[in-house]
Amino acid sequence: IIEKNLRLIDILTKCIILIHRRDEIPCKRGNRDNSESFFLVEEKETDQSKKKVGGGVMSNNKPAIRAKLLIVEDSPCLLKLYSEEFSDEGYAVRGCLDGRHALKIVNINKKDIDVIILDAKMPMMDGRELCRKVKERLPEIPVIVNSAYDHLESDYKRAGAEEYVIKSSNLSLLKATVKKFLLKKENLSLKAAS
């Protein structure tokens, strides 16, 4: 319990720091009742992103295609943190604050999502229901559940999630999990092409 509380304190500290930063990512409101929010992280052209694309590197001197992530997290500060972290790694990131809006994004952008990262507990549609609906429509898209609740893993695995990662201020495990699925997808593409 103490370790879990320390992880949450670390996450909250990072959120507070992000809130006070000047370079805020604008959030656009979706429908009329303002229950949906989303944003697309602006692409940053840096020396690092020229060399490293979507967690992968250039192969045969040809740049890799930017991997596209959909991050669903009901906490705006955590959504911003995750989006910035993955954007800095070279990913194209789309984020939203609730499951219903995420499902709309999935339905519209079926071919433009490589990996979905979602929170477990969210308003309007929880992560389990979203995971089930995504897997019914697009079983090939990997879903990673990122939650502070370690006791829900088996429920989400039954709903179709490929991985269940416990939230932490250190995002290395989450990043490694995303890279694992992208490498798997790339390997399948290479095998199909040969």
Side-chain angles (χ1 to χ4, degrees), residues 47-92:
D47 289 338
Q48 184 181 13
S49 67
K50 288 178 188 174
K51 295 176 188 168
K52 189 169 157 184
V53 179
V57 293
M58 292 175 28
S59 58
N60 300 330
N61 295 324
K62 294 179 183 177
I65 297 171
R66 283 176 61 114
K68 298 170 196 102
L69 305 181
L70 174 60
I71 302 175
V72 189
E73 168 63 59
D74 65 329
S75 167
C77 63
L78 286 178
L79 181 58
K80 180 176 167 47
L81 171 69
Y82 297 158
S83 298
E84 284 183 351
E85 287 283 329
F86 281 104
S87 179
D88 288 347
E89 293 276 322
Y91 296 97

Side-chain angles (χ1 to χ4, degrees), residues 75-185:
S75 167
C77 63
L78 286 178
L79 181 58
K80 180 176 167 47
L81 171 69
Y82 297 158
S83 298
E84 284 183 351
E85 287 283 329
F86 281 104
S87 179
D88 288 347
E89 293 276 322
Y91 296 97
V93 179
R94 186 153 194 186
C96 60
L97 295 166
D98 68 81
R100 275 199 273 169
H101 191 246
L103 194 57
K104 287 179 187 176
I105 291 171
V106 168
N107 287 333
I108 293 169
N109 301 296
K110 293 175 183 169
K111 303 294 180 192
D112 279 344
I113 300 170
D114 294 309
V115 176
I116 299 173
I117 300 169
L118 59 91
D119 190 13
K121 303 278 187 176
M122 296 182 292
M124 293 187 262
M125 180 186 297
D126 73 351
R128 191 172 338 173
E129 183 180 354
L130 175 61
C131 183
R132 245 191 319 272
K133 289 184 177 191
V134 165
K135 287 302 185 179
E136 286 171 4
R137 291 166 174 79
L138 302 165
E140 70 279 2
I141 295 180
V143 174
I144 302 167
V145 178
N146 187 44
S147 175
Y149 303 97
D150 57 356
H151 65 279
L152 299 174
E153 182 173 1
S154 60
D155 292 343
Y156 279 87
K157 294 281 183 149
R158 281 193 298 272
E162 279 77 10
E163 287 290 338
Y164 192 92
V165 178
I166 302 299
K167 283 184 182 177
S168 170
S169 60
N170 181 348
L171 299 181
S172 59
L173 179 59
L174 184 59
K175 289 177 183 180
T177 304
V178 169
K179 285 180 185 179
K180 175 179 82 171
F181 286 113
L182 293 173
L183 285 172
K184 184 177 178 182
K185 182 178 180 177

Side-chain angles (χ1 to χ4, degrees), residues 185-194:
K185 182 178 180 177
E186 186 177 337
N187 288 338
L188 290 174
S189 295
L190 290 173
K191 283 181 184 178
S194 48

